[in-house]
Short mmCIF file of all heavy atoms in Angstrom, two decimals:
data_model
loop_
_atom_site.label_atom_id
_atom_site.label_comp_id
_atom_site.label_asym_id
_atom_site.label_seq_id
_atom_site.Cartn_x
_atom_site.Cartn_y
_atom_site.Cartn_z
N ASN A 1 -34.83 11.61 15.91
CA ASN A 1 -35.66 12.43 16.91
C ASN A 1 -35.79 11.59 18.21
O ASN A 1 -35.64 12.15 19.20
CB ASN A 1 -36.97 12.68 16.37
CG ASN A 1 -36.86 13.81 15.11
OD1 ASN A 1 -35.77 14.56 15.06
ND2 ASN A 1 -37.81 13.77 14.29
N VAL A 2 -36.01 10.39 18.21
CA VAL A 2 -36.37 9.55 19.36
C VAL A 2 -34.93 9.35 19.99
O VAL A 2 -34.82 9.32 21.22
CB VAL A 2 -36.89 8.27 18.97
CG1 VAL A 2 -37.03 7.26 20.06
CG2 VAL A 2 -38.44 8.47 18.59
N GLU A 3 -33.91 8.99 19.24
CA GLU A 3 -32.56 8.77 19.79
C GLU A 3 -32.14 10.09 20.60
O GLU A 3 -31.56 10.00 21.57
CB GLU A 3 -31.49 8.47 18.73
CG GLU A 3 -30.17 8.10 19.23
CD GLU A 3 -29.13 7.77 18.07
OE1 GLU A 3 -29.47 8.15 16.87
OE2 GLU A 3 -28.12 7.28 18.46
N PHE A 4 -32.33 11.18 19.97
CA PHE A 4 -32.07 12.47 20.65
C PHE A 4 -32.75 12.53 22.07
O PHE A 4 -32.16 12.91 23.04
CB PHE A 4 -32.40 13.64 19.88
CG PHE A 4 -32.60 14.98 20.52
CD1 PHE A 4 -31.49 15.71 21.09
CD2 PHE A 4 -33.81 15.43 20.81
CE1 PHE A 4 -31.72 16.88 21.78
CE2 PHE A 4 -34.02 16.54 21.68
CZ PHE A 4 -32.92 17.26 21.99
N ALA A 5 -34.06 12.18 21.98
CA ALA A 5 -34.88 12.39 23.31
C ALA A 5 -34.23 11.44 24.37
O ALA A 5 -34.09 11.88 25.46
CB ALA A 5 -36.19 11.98 23.02
N TRP A 6 -34.03 10.19 24.08
CA TRP A 6 -33.49 9.29 25.20
C TRP A 6 -32.19 9.67 25.55
O TRP A 6 -31.75 9.50 26.77
CB TRP A 6 -33.85 7.79 24.89
CG TRP A 6 -32.86 7.04 24.07
CD1 TRP A 6 -33.00 6.74 22.74
CD2 TRP A 6 -31.58 6.58 24.38
NE1 TRP A 6 -31.82 6.01 22.31
CE2 TRP A 6 -30.99 5.95 23.28
CE3 TRP A 6 -30.84 6.54 25.62
CZ2 TRP A 6 -29.85 5.23 23.32
CZ3 TRP A 6 -29.63 5.81 25.70
CH2 TRP A 6 -29.11 5.27 24.52
N LEU A 7 -31.21 10.06 24.65
CA LEU A 7 -29.94 10.36 24.92
C LEU A 7 -29.81 11.76 25.74
O LEU A 7 -29.07 11.81 26.73
CB LEU A 7 -29.06 10.65 23.69
CG LEU A 7 -28.71 9.46 22.88
CD1 LEU A 7 -28.04 9.81 21.53
CD2 LEU A 7 -27.75 8.62 23.69
N LEU A 8 -30.79 12.65 25.44
CA LEU A 8 -30.93 13.95 26.20
C LEU A 8 -31.36 13.55 27.78
O LEU A 8 -30.75 14.09 28.67
CB LEU A 8 -32.02 14.73 25.66
CG LEU A 8 -32.35 15.97 26.51
CD1 LEU A 8 -31.04 16.91 26.74
CD2 LEU A 8 -33.48 16.86 25.92
N THR A 9 -32.38 12.62 27.94
CA THR A 9 -32.69 12.16 29.21
C THR A 9 -31.48 11.55 29.97
O THR A 9 -31.27 11.91 31.18
CB THR A 9 -33.85 11.21 29.10
OG1 THR A 9 -34.96 11.78 28.47
CG2 THR A 9 -34.33 10.74 30.54
N HIS A 10 -30.75 10.70 29.22
CA HIS A 10 -29.65 10.15 29.95
C HIS A 10 -28.60 11.20 30.32
O HIS A 10 -27.97 11.11 31.46
CB HIS A 10 -28.94 9.09 28.97
CG HIS A 10 -27.78 8.47 29.49
ND1 HIS A 10 -27.65 7.67 30.74
CD2 HIS A 10 -26.39 8.42 29.00
CE1 HIS A 10 -26.43 7.42 30.85
NE2 HIS A 10 -25.71 7.72 29.94
N ALA A 11 -28.40 12.22 29.51
CA ALA A 11 -27.43 13.38 29.72
C ALA A 11 -27.73 14.09 30.93
O ALA A 11 -26.98 14.25 31.87
CB ALA A 11 -27.24 14.34 28.46
N LEU A 12 -28.97 14.40 31.01
CA LEU A 12 -29.58 15.21 32.22
C LEU A 12 -29.45 14.38 33.43
O LEU A 12 -28.96 15.06 34.54
CB LEU A 12 -31.00 15.59 31.95
CG LEU A 12 -31.35 16.53 30.82
CD1 LEU A 12 -32.74 16.72 30.48
CD2 LEU A 12 -30.62 17.91 31.04
N LYS A 13 -29.61 13.15 33.47
CA LYS A 13 -29.58 12.37 34.67
C LYS A 13 -28.05 12.35 35.02
O LYS A 13 -27.80 12.31 36.26
CB LYS A 13 -30.14 10.92 34.47
CG LYS A 13 -31.58 10.91 34.29
CD LYS A 13 -32.10 9.47 33.97
CE LYS A 13 -33.67 9.46 33.99
NZ LYS A 13 -34.16 8.10 33.58
N THR A 14 -27.11 12.09 34.08
CA THR A 14 -25.80 12.03 34.44
C THR A 14 -25.20 13.34 35.00
O THR A 14 -24.38 13.38 35.82
CB THR A 14 -24.98 11.70 33.15
OG1 THR A 14 -25.42 10.50 32.56
CG2 THR A 14 -23.41 11.65 33.34
N MET A 15 -25.84 14.43 34.47
CA MET A 15 -25.47 15.72 35.17
C MET A 15 -26.08 16.13 36.44
O MET A 15 -25.78 17.15 37.04
CB MET A 15 -25.82 16.88 34.03
CG MET A 15 -25.16 16.67 32.69
SD MET A 15 -25.91 17.82 31.42
CE MET A 15 -25.35 19.45 31.83
N GLY A 16 -27.18 15.26 36.68
CA GLY A 16 -27.82 15.48 38.08
C GLY A 16 -28.82 16.56 37.87
O GLY A 16 -29.24 17.16 38.83
N LYS A 17 -29.34 16.70 36.65
CA LYS A 17 -30.40 17.75 36.49
C LYS A 17 -31.70 17.14 36.36
O LYS A 17 -31.88 16.14 35.58
CB LYS A 17 -29.98 18.59 35.08
CG LYS A 17 -28.81 19.44 35.26
CD LYS A 17 -28.56 20.21 34.04
CE LYS A 17 -27.25 21.18 34.19
NZ LYS A 17 -27.55 22.20 35.17
N PRO A 18 -32.69 17.80 36.90
CA PRO A 18 -34.15 17.37 36.50
C PRO A 18 -34.61 17.46 35.36
O PRO A 18 -34.20 18.46 34.51
CB PRO A 18 -34.91 18.24 37.60
CG PRO A 18 -34.14 19.36 37.71
CD PRO A 18 -32.77 19.04 37.69
N ILE A 19 -35.43 16.57 34.71
CA ILE A 19 -35.82 16.73 33.36
C ILE A 19 -37.16 17.45 33.20
O ILE A 19 -37.62 17.68 32.04
CB ILE A 19 -36.07 15.24 32.71
CG1 ILE A 19 -37.16 14.47 33.30
CG2 ILE A 19 -34.76 14.52 32.92
CD1 ILE A 19 -37.49 13.26 32.55
N ASP A 20 -37.76 18.03 34.31
CA ASP A 20 -39.03 18.60 34.18
C ASP A 20 -38.99 19.64 33.18
O ASP A 20 -40.09 19.82 32.45
CB ASP A 20 -39.36 19.08 35.69
CG ASP A 20 -39.58 18.06 36.65
OD1 ASP A 20 -39.49 16.85 36.22
OD2 ASP A 20 -39.87 18.31 37.80
N GLN A 21 -38.07 20.53 33.13
CA GLN A 21 -38.16 21.63 32.23
C GLN A 21 -37.97 21.37 30.85
O GLN A 21 -38.06 22.06 29.82
CB GLN A 21 -37.08 22.80 32.72
CG GLN A 21 -35.52 22.25 32.63
CD GLN A 21 -34.68 23.19 33.04
OE1 GLN A 21 -34.48 24.33 32.39
NE2 GLN A 21 -33.85 23.00 34.09
N TYR A 22 -37.67 20.00 30.52
CA TYR A 22 -37.47 19.53 29.27
C TYR A 22 -38.62 18.67 28.71
O TYR A 22 -38.50 18.16 27.67
CB TYR A 22 -36.17 18.76 29.17
CG TYR A 22 -34.97 19.62 29.44
CD1 TYR A 22 -34.46 19.64 30.70
CD2 TYR A 22 -34.30 20.39 28.47
CE1 TYR A 22 -33.28 20.39 31.11
CE2 TYR A 22 -33.17 21.22 28.87
CZ TYR A 22 -32.70 21.10 30.20
OH TYR A 22 -31.54 21.83 30.52
N THR A 23 -39.74 18.60 29.46
CA THR A 23 -40.84 17.74 29.14
C THR A 23 -41.40 18.07 27.70
O THR A 23 -41.61 17.06 26.99
CB THR A 23 -42.02 17.84 30.32
OG1 THR A 23 -41.38 17.38 31.53
CG2 THR A 23 -43.12 16.99 29.91
N ASP A 24 -41.51 19.22 27.49
CA ASP A 24 -42.29 19.55 26.21
C ASP A 24 -41.38 19.16 24.97
O ASP A 24 -42.02 18.61 24.06
CB ASP A 24 -42.48 21.11 26.10
CG ASP A 24 -43.71 21.62 27.03
OD1 ASP A 24 -44.29 20.76 27.53
OD2 ASP A 24 -43.66 22.92 27.26
N VAL A 25 -40.07 19.44 25.07
CA VAL A 25 -39.38 19.03 23.88
C VAL A 25 -39.16 17.47 23.78
O VAL A 25 -39.18 16.96 22.84
CB VAL A 25 -37.88 19.68 24.03
CG1 VAL A 25 -36.98 19.14 25.02
CG2 VAL A 25 -37.21 19.61 22.64
N LEU A 26 -39.03 16.85 24.99
CA LEU A 26 -38.94 15.29 24.85
C LEU A 26 -40.34 14.76 24.31
O LEU A 26 -40.26 13.91 23.40
CB LEU A 26 -38.79 14.84 26.32
CG LEU A 26 -37.34 15.05 26.92
CD1 LEU A 26 -37.34 14.72 28.47
CD2 LEU A 26 -36.28 14.28 26.25
N LYS A 27 -41.35 15.31 24.73
CA LYS A 27 -42.63 14.79 24.21
C LYS A 27 -42.79 14.91 22.82
O LYS A 27 -43.22 14.32 22.07
CB LYS A 27 -43.76 15.24 24.99
CG LYS A 27 -44.02 14.60 26.45
CD LYS A 27 -45.22 15.28 27.08
CE LYS A 27 -45.58 14.35 28.40
NZ LYS A 27 -46.76 14.96 28.99
N ALA A 28 -42.46 16.17 22.37
CA ALA A 28 -42.38 16.53 20.94
C ALA A 28 -41.58 15.69 20.11
O ALA A 28 -42.10 15.09 18.98
CB ALA A 28 -41.92 18.07 20.62
N SER A 29 -40.41 15.23 20.61
CA SER A 29 -39.52 14.40 19.78
C SER A 29 -40.15 12.95 19.79
O SER A 29 -40.14 12.36 18.74
CB SER A 29 -38.16 14.18 20.45
OG SER A 29 -37.47 15.55 20.48
N TYR A 30 -40.66 12.46 20.88
CA TYR A 30 -41.32 11.08 20.90
C TYR A 30 -42.48 11.05 20.01
O TYR A 30 -42.80 10.27 19.27
CB TYR A 30 -41.63 10.67 22.34
CG TYR A 30 -40.35 10.35 23.17
CD1 TYR A 30 -40.34 10.90 24.50
CD2 TYR A 30 -39.44 9.51 22.66
CE1 TYR A 30 -39.16 10.47 25.27
CE2 TYR A 30 -38.26 9.21 23.58
CZ TYR A 30 -38.26 9.72 24.82
OH TYR A 30 -37.15 9.34 25.57
N ASN A 31 -43.36 12.15 20.21
CA ASN A 31 -44.65 12.09 19.61
C ASN A 31 -44.83 12.27 18.29
O ASN A 31 -45.64 11.67 17.55
CB ASN A 31 -45.59 13.17 20.40
CG ASN A 31 -45.89 12.89 21.72
OD1 ASN A 31 -45.64 11.77 22.28
ND2 ASN A 31 -46.44 13.86 22.48
N ASN A 32 -43.68 12.95 17.66
CA ASN A 32 -43.68 13.13 16.20
C ASN A 32 -43.54 11.76 15.53
O ASN A 32 -44.23 11.34 14.62
CB ASN A 32 -42.53 13.96 15.77
CG ASN A 32 -42.40 14.18 14.30
OD1 ASN A 32 -41.64 13.37 13.58
ND2 ASN A 32 -43.08 15.09 13.57
N ALA A 33 -42.69 10.89 16.14
CA ALA A 33 -42.40 9.61 15.62
C ALA A 33 -43.52 8.57 15.86
O ALA A 33 -44.10 7.90 14.99
CB ALA A 33 -41.22 8.95 16.29
N VAL A 34 -44.21 8.80 17.03
CA VAL A 34 -45.42 7.96 17.35
C VAL A 34 -46.59 8.31 16.35
O VAL A 34 -47.27 7.44 15.84
CB VAL A 34 -45.89 8.31 18.82
CG1 VAL A 34 -47.31 7.65 19.13
CG2 VAL A 34 -44.84 7.64 19.71
N GLN A 35 -46.79 9.62 16.11
CA GLN A 35 -47.85 10.06 15.27
C GLN A 35 -47.74 9.74 13.84
O GLN A 35 -48.73 9.32 13.13
CB GLN A 35 -48.19 11.60 15.50
CG GLN A 35 -49.43 12.05 14.77
CD GLN A 35 -49.80 13.53 15.13
OE1 GLN A 35 -49.10 14.11 16.05
NE2 GLN A 35 -50.82 14.13 14.53
N TYR A 36 -46.57 10.06 13.30
CA TYR A 36 -46.28 9.93 11.81
C TYR A 36 -45.33 8.76 11.39
O TYR A 36 -45.50 8.38 10.18
CB TYR A 36 -45.65 11.16 11.39
CG TYR A 36 -46.51 12.46 11.65
CD1 TYR A 36 -46.12 13.45 12.58
CD2 TYR A 36 -47.82 12.64 11.07
CE1 TYR A 36 -46.75 14.51 12.82
CE2 TYR A 36 -48.55 13.78 11.46
CZ TYR A 36 -48.05 14.70 12.33
OH TYR A 36 -48.82 15.81 12.60
N GLY A 37 -44.52 8.35 12.23
CA GLY A 37 -43.50 7.39 11.81
C GLY A 37 -43.78 5.84 11.93
O GLY A 37 -42.92 5.03 11.54
#
């Protein structure tokens, strides 16, 4: 889940796309690991 989140961020930056619209899913991926893992 965390690998997916940072790889997604890298992909969006490489594509030249802002990450703002992906904030919720990125936080969900990170926060699940932070809260439970």
Side-chain angles (χ1 to χ4, degrees):
N1 293 336
V2 170
E3 185 180 15
F4 159 76
W6 82 258
L7 286 173
L8 174 60
T9 301
H10 178 58
L12 294 169
K13 290 178 179 178
T14 302
M15 299 166 76
K17 293 183 177 293
I19 68 168
D20 297 358
Q21 61 182 300
Y22 301 91
T23 295
D24 289 347
V25 72
L26 290 169
K27 284 186 175 181
S29 296
Y30 289 132
N31 292 348
N32 178 266
V34 170
Q35 184 173 356
Y36 303 115

